[in-house]
Amino acid sequence: MPDEASKSTNSNESGKSWEEQDPDIVREVTIDEYKPYGTLTLTLIYFAIVALMWVFMYFVEFAGNAPSIIE
Amino acid sequence: MHIHKFEQFWIKLSFVLIAFFVATVVYGFVAMDLKVIGDHATIDPQNLADTKFGNPGVREVTRNGQTEYEVYVQTIQFAFNPGTAQPIEVPVDTRVTFYITSPDVLHGFDVAGTNLNTMAIPGQVAKFTTIFPEVREYGIVCNEYCGPAHHVMEGKIKVVPKSEFDKSNLVE
Ligand SMILES: [Cu+2]
């Protein structure tokens, strides 16, 4: 499988850039120039929610639910 | 294959999350000393009459010079014996050990709203020890489907002050 980063920087076999092939494309970026900060933020929020819910479920609902089994 | 660095980041983060889950569970069972039901003993479910389950109820025992209580409970379709017909009465702030088994089918023994919860498996004895910290009533529910009247299978534990604990209900 060709490396996607190199594929997007080099023009393809027709010798035309992506902009020339498709005028709807206004700017071409390599995969590493593409920075989905919105997705990253949502992902971090999601991880924070999962971690917090886990802490609540495990330490409060499970371990904090006295009386517990002591032996 | 080229993986975008953001994607590499959250793939790593998900492994960190799994490590965090495992770490909290290890912390709970090592540092917080949480306990779950283990395998205590097996028993012939057809011949409970010859065992302490044949005369179920609350027994007084002395262990390490302390008065403690043992509660033998049979879970049957569709009642806890004792528990349903009469509540299981135990004193507050005292070690109580439950022994639970089933002569018929799989049942659950869940002290609602607490961490006391075990399966009652024919042929197996579930054992757990606890201390009830406050005077109050707890409900017991069967949380394993055991037949057509499973949903009405319930009982009660009555935790009473030590001074009000009626020893005349104890079994020998
Ligand atoms: Cu049941």
Side-chain angles (χ1 to χ4, degrees), chain B residues 75-80 106-108 142-146 150 153:
Chain B
T75 58
I76 51 176
Q77 287 173 317
F78 298 95
F80 298 100
L106 180 69
H107 295 277
C142 175
N143 59 5
E144 296 285 345
Y145 181 73
C146 58
H150 162 69
M153 180 164 169

